[in-house]
Amino acid sequence: MNLDHGRKFDGSQTRGWRQSLLVWYDRNRRDLPWRSDRDPYRVWLSEIMLQQTRVAAVLEHYHRFLQRFPTVQKLASARESSVLAAWSGLGYYRRARMMHAAAKVIVKKHGGKFPGEVAELRTLPGIGRYTAGAIRAFAFREDAPILDTNVMRVLHRVFVGRGDPKKQKSALWNLSEALIPKGKGYDFNQALMDFGAMVCTARDPYCLLCPMKDFCKTYPFTAR
Ligand code: ADE
């Protein structure tokens, strides 16, 4: 794989890194409620809530929202004011409005069944490339890539090591897709998220604890 302006990162390093990541995830994964669920509505809700919001804050709201609106049908038929009330405390209310609008489309146009096609998903209000990938990987268990700021940071540090990750989005999307071990899109993507949240953090990453440090282009980023 040729990822950074001519420097090759060979296949065995790539394989070693992703294999170690899966082993690390197996031992360290966070037990999060949306991980035991394949219902696309619940996966969607968790991913929208997790945008710009810490996991701890989402945990407080996720179950409450689902009690109030347990299905996409219930959400679609609700009044906007009650949807916003259930969102209260999470901020960025535009997310709730978009979900409400998308729920109506899912009920009207798709008979209440979540579309699995990426092109259809992307037409829904508030569902961009990341959320479509997350729904496909986490609900439909496809080997679909994801790239949010955390995943972008991790992949950029490990495999590229220079330049501004935001300017390399398209290459990082390709990388995110190419790295997925066949049939393991679900675990691999969740592992990337946990690793970004717990080890390869934005500030002061725990490089010394990182089991993949030998495969990393940026190591040692910090001596912590
Ligand atoms: N951040 C965004 N999506 C997430 C998920 N599924 N698990 C943990 N953190 C996340």
Side-chain angles (χ1 to χ4, degrees), residues 147-162:
L147 194 78
D148 63 359
T149 31
N150 290 317
V151 173
M152 194 154 71
R153 178 182 67 253
V154 170
L155 297 184
H156 181 263
R157 273 185 191 154
V158 176
F159 294 99
V160 183
R162 54 180 149 162

PDB file of all heavy atoms in Angstrom, residues 147-162:
ATOM      1  N   LEU A 147     -15.259   7.075   8.990  1.00  0.00           N
ATOM      2  CA  LEU A 147     -14.177   8.043   9.230  1.00  0.00           C
ATOM      3  C   LEU A 147     -14.759   9.258   9.933  1.00  0.00           C
ATOM      4  O   LEU A 147     -15.385  10.098   9.302  1.00  0.00           O
ATOM      5  CB  LEU A 147     -13.528   8.465   7.906  1.00  0.00           C
ATOM      6  CG  LEU A 147     -12.185   9.188   8.048  1.00  0.00           C
ATOM      7  CD1 LEU A 147     -11.047   8.206   8.329  1.00  0.00           C
ATOM      8  CD2 LEU A 147     -11.845   9.986   6.792  1.00  0.00           C
ATOM      9  N   ASP A 148     -14.592   9.299  11.252  1.00  0.00           N
ATOM     10  CA  ASP A 148     -14.935  10.526  11.981  1.00  0.00           C
ATOM     11  C   ASP A 148     -13.613  11.149  12.433  1.00  0.00           C
ATOM     12  O   ASP A 148     -12.545  10.658  12.060  1.00  0.00           O
ATOM     13  CB  ASP A 148     -15.893  10.237  13.154  1.00  0.00           C
ATOM     14  CG  ASP A 148     -15.277   9.336  14.209  1.00  0.00           C
ATOM     15  OD1 ASP A 148     -14.121   8.908  14.046  1.00  0.00           O
ATOM     16  OD2 ASP A 148     -15.955   9.063  15.212  1.00  0.00           O
ATOM     17  N   THR A 149     -13.668  12.207  13.224  1.00  0.00           N
ATOM     18  CA  THR A 149     -12.400  12.872  13.567  1.00  0.00           C
ATOM     19  C   THR A 149     -11.461  11.939  14.334  1.00  0.00           C
ATOM     20  O   THR A 149     -10.240  12.013  14.147  1.00  0.00           O
ATOM     21  CB  THR A 149     -12.626  14.137  14.421  1.00  0.00           C
ATOM     22  OG1 THR A 149     -13.773  13.952  15.211  1.00  0.00           O
ATOM     23  CG2 THR A 149     -12.755  15.370  13.599  1.00  0.00           C
ATOM     24  N   ASN A 150     -12.014  11.075  15.163  1.00  0.00           N
ATOM     25  CA  ASN A 150     -11.151  10.174  15.932  1.00  0.00           C
ATOM     26  C   ASN A 150     -10.466   9.148  15.049  1.00  0.00           C
ATOM     27  O   ASN A 150      -9.267   8.913  15.162  1.00  0.00           O
ATOM     28  CB  ASN A 150     -11.967   9.453  17.015  1.00  0.00           C
ATOM     29  CG  ASN A 150     -12.392  10.419  18.093  1.00  0.00           C
ATOM     30  OD1 ASN A 150     -11.604  11.242  18.529  1.00  0.00           O
ATOM     31  ND2 ASN A 150     -13.645  10.344  18.494  1.00  0.00           N
ATOM     32  N   VAL A 151     -11.242   8.542  14.165  1.00  0.00           N
ATOM     33  CA  VAL A 151     -10.669   7.531  13.272  1.00  0.00           C
ATOM     34  C   VAL A 151      -9.655   8.189  12.333  1.00  0.00           C
ATOM     35  O   VAL A 151      -8.584   7.649  12.070  1.00  0.00           O
ATOM     36  CB  VAL A 151     -11.802   6.809  12.495  1.00  0.00           C
ATOM     37  CG1 VAL A 151     -11.233   5.883  11.436  1.00  0.00           C
ATOM     38  CG2 VAL A 151     -12.703   6.045  13.457  1.00  0.00           C
ATOM     39  N   MET A 152      -9.997   9.387  11.897  1.00  0.00           N
ATOM     40  CA  MET A 152      -9.102  10.129  11.008  1.00  0.00           C
ATOM     41  C   MET A 152      -7.750  10.361  11.706  1.00  0.00           C
ATOM     42  O   MET A 152      -6.686  10.169  11.123  1.00  0.00           O
ATOM     43  CB  MET A 152      -9.760  11.466  10.654  1.00  0.00           C
ATOM     44  CG  MET A 152      -9.126  12.182   9.517  1.00  0.00           C
ATOM     45  SD  MET A 152     -10.318  13.251   8.711  1.00  0.00           S
ATOM     46  CE  MET A 152     -10.531  14.520   9.904  1.00  0.00           C
ATOM     47  N   ARG A 153      -7.820  10.776  12.969  1.00  0.00           N
ATOM     48  CA  ARG A 153      -6.583  11.043  13.720  1.00  0.00           C
ATOM     49  C   ARG A 153      -5.746   9.765  13.858  1.00  0.00           C
ATOM     50  O   ARG A 153      -4.543   9.771  13.608  1.00  0.00           O
ATOM     51  CB  ARG A 153      -6.940  11.570  15.117  1.00  0.00           C
ATOM     52  CG  ARG A 153      -5.734  11.826  15.990  1.00  0.00           C
ATOM     53  CD  ARG A 153      -6.125  12.282  17.363  1.00  0.00           C
ATOM     54  NE  ARG A 153      -6.806  11.272  18.161  1.00  0.00           N
ATOM     55  CZ  ARG A 153      -8.103  11.275  18.446  1.00  0.00           C
ATOM     56  NH1 ARG A 153      -8.880  12.239  18.050  1.00  0.00           N
ATOM     57  NH2 ARG A 153      -8.646  10.300  19.153  1.00  0.00           N
ATOM     58  N   VAL A 154      -6.400   8.664  14.209  1.00  0.00           N
ATOM     59  CA  VAL A 154      -5.676   7.408  14.425  1.00  0.00           C
ATOM     60  C   VAL A 154      -5.007   6.954  13.129  1.00  0.00           C
ATOM     61  O   VAL A 154      -3.794   6.697  13.093  1.00  0.00           O
ATOM     62  CB  VAL A 154      -6.643   6.305  14.937  1.00  0.00           C
ATOM     63  CG1 VAL A 154      -5.964   4.942  14.941  1.00  0.00           C
ATOM     64  CG2 VAL A 154      -7.162   6.644  16.331  1.00  0.00           C
ATOM     65  N   LEU A 155      -5.781   6.894  12.048  1.00  0.00           N
ATOM     66  CA  LEU A 155      -5.221   6.382  10.790  1.00  0.00           C
ATOM     67  C   LEU A 155      -4.121   7.289  10.270  1.00  0.00           C
ATOM     68  O   LEU A 155      -3.106   6.824   9.754  1.00  0.00           O
ATOM     69  CB  LEU A 155      -6.325   6.215   9.734  1.00  0.00           C
ATOM     70  CG  LEU A 155      -7.424   5.199  10.077  1.00  0.00           C
ATOM     71  CD1 LEU A 155      -8.392   5.053   8.910  1.00  0.00           C
ATOM     72  CD2 LEU A 155      -6.844   3.835  10.449  1.00  0.00           C
ATOM     73  N   HIS A 156      -4.318   8.579  10.453  1.00  0.00           N
ATOM     74  CA  HIS A 156      -3.301   9.513   9.978  1.00  0.00           C
ATOM     75  C   HIS A 156      -2.003   9.344  10.768  1.00  0.00           C
ATOM     76  O   HIS A 156      -0.915   9.283  10.205  1.00  0.00           O
ATOM     77  CB  HIS A 156      -3.831  10.948  10.082  1.00  0.00           C
ATOM     78  CG  HIS A 156      -2.850  11.966   9.599  1.00  0.00           C
ATOM     79  ND1 HIS A 156      -2.018  12.654  10.458  1.00  0.00           N
ATOM     80  CD2 HIS A 156      -2.530  12.395   8.356  1.00  0.00           C
ATOM     81  CE1 HIS A 156      -1.247  13.462   9.747  1.00  0.00           C
ATOM     82  NE2 HIS A 156      -1.547  13.323   8.480  1.00  0.00           N
ATOM     83  N   ARG A 157      -2.118   9.242  12.079  1.00  0.00           N
ATOM     84  CA  ARG A 157      -0.910   9.072  12.892  1.00  0.00           C
ATOM     85  C   ARG A 157      -0.175   7.785  12.546  1.00  0.00           C
ATOM     86  O   ARG A 157       1.038   7.763  12.400  1.00  0.00           O
ATOM     87  CB  ARG A 157      -1.294   9.014  14.383  1.00  0.00           C
ATOM     88  CG  ARG A 157      -1.384  10.355  15.026  1.00  0.00           C
ATOM     89  CD  ARG A 157      -1.638  10.155  16.518  1.00  0.00           C
ATOM     90  NE  ARG A 157      -1.981  11.417  17.140  1.00  0.00           N
ATOM     91  CZ  ARG A 157      -2.706  11.519  18.241  1.00  0.00           C
ATOM     92  NH1 ARG A 157      -3.161  10.436  18.849  1.00  0.00           N
ATOM     93  NH2 ARG A 157      -2.968  12.695  18.752  1.00  0.00           N
ATOM     94  N   VAL A 158      -0.944   6.714  12.446  1.00  0.00           N
ATOM     95  CA  VAL A 158      -0.319   5.407  12.275  1.00  0.00           C
ATOM     96  C   VAL A 158       0.272   5.243  10.883  1.00  0.00           C
ATOM     97  O   VAL A 158       1.400   4.789  10.735  1.00  0.00           O
ATOM     98  CB  VAL A 158      -1.344   4.281  12.545  1.00  0.00           C
ATOM     99  CG1 VAL A 158      -0.735   2.906  12.271  1.00  0.00           C
ATOM    100  CG2 VAL A 158      -1.849   4.352  13.980  1.00  0.00           C
ATOM    101  N   PHE A 159      -0.498   5.608   9.869  1.00  0.00           N
ATOM    102  CA  PHE A 159      -0.106   5.227   8.513  1.00  0.00           C
ATOM    103  C   PHE A 159       0.455   6.369   7.660  1.00  0.00           C
ATOM    104  O   PHE A 159       1.005   6.120   6.607  1.00  0.00           O
ATOM    105  CB  PHE A 159      -1.299   4.601   7.782  1.00  0.00           C
ATOM    106  CG  PHE A 159      -1.733   3.301   8.387  1.00  0.00           C
ATOM    107  CD1 PHE A 159      -2.816   3.230   9.250  1.00  0.00           C
ATOM    108  CD2 PHE A 159      -1.028   2.134   8.117  1.00  0.00           C
ATOM    109  CE1 PHE A 159      -3.198   2.028   9.827  1.00  0.00           C
ATOM    110  CE2 PHE A 159      -1.407   0.929   8.684  1.00  0.00           C
ATOM    111  CZ  PHE A 159      -2.491   0.879   9.548  1.00  0.00           C
ATOM    112  N   VAL A 160       0.249   7.607   8.078  1.00  0.00           N
ATOM    113  CA  VAL A 160       0.713   8.722   7.246  1.00  0.00           C
ATOM    114  C   VAL A 160       1.801   9.513   7.975  1.00  0.00           C
ATOM    115  O   VAL A 160       2.929   9.631   7.501  1.00  0.00           O
ATOM    116  CB  VAL A 160      -0.463   9.645   6.839  1.00  0.00           C
ATOM    117  CG1 VAL A 160       0.029  10.746   5.917  1.00  0.00           C
ATOM    118  CG2 VAL A 160      -1.568   8.842   6.167  1.00  0.00           C
ATOM    119  N   GLY A 161       1.454  10.070   9.113  1.00  0.00           N
ATOM    120  CA  GLY A 161       2.481  10.678   9.952  1.00  0.00           C
ATOM    121  C   GLY A 161       2.893  12.094   9.613  1.00  0.00           C
ATOM    122  O   GLY A 161       3.732  12.666  10.279  1.00  0.00           O
ATOM    123  N   ARG A 162       2.363  12.647   8.558  1.00  0.00           N
ATOM    124  CA  ARG A 162       2.697  14.063   8.287  1.00  0.00           C
ATOM    125  C   ARG A 162       1.574  14.735   7.502  1.00  0.00           C
ATOM    126  O   ARG A 162       0.727  14.065   6.914  1.00  0.00           O
ATOM    127  CB  ARG A 162       4.005  14.191   7.547  1.00  0.00           C
ATOM    128  CG  ARG A 162       4.048  13.368   6.287  1.00  0.00           C
ATOM    129  CD  ARG A 162       5.387  13.549   5.622  1.00  0.00           C
ATOM    130  NE  ARG A 162       5.741  12.346   4.908  1.00  0.00           N
ATOM    131  CZ  ARG A 162       6.651  12.295   3.960  1.00  0.00           C
ATOM    132  NH1 ARG A 162       7.308  13.372   3.628  1.00  0.00           N
ATOM    133  NH2 ARG A 162       6.915  11.179   3.332  1.00  0.00           N
TER     134      ARG A 162
END
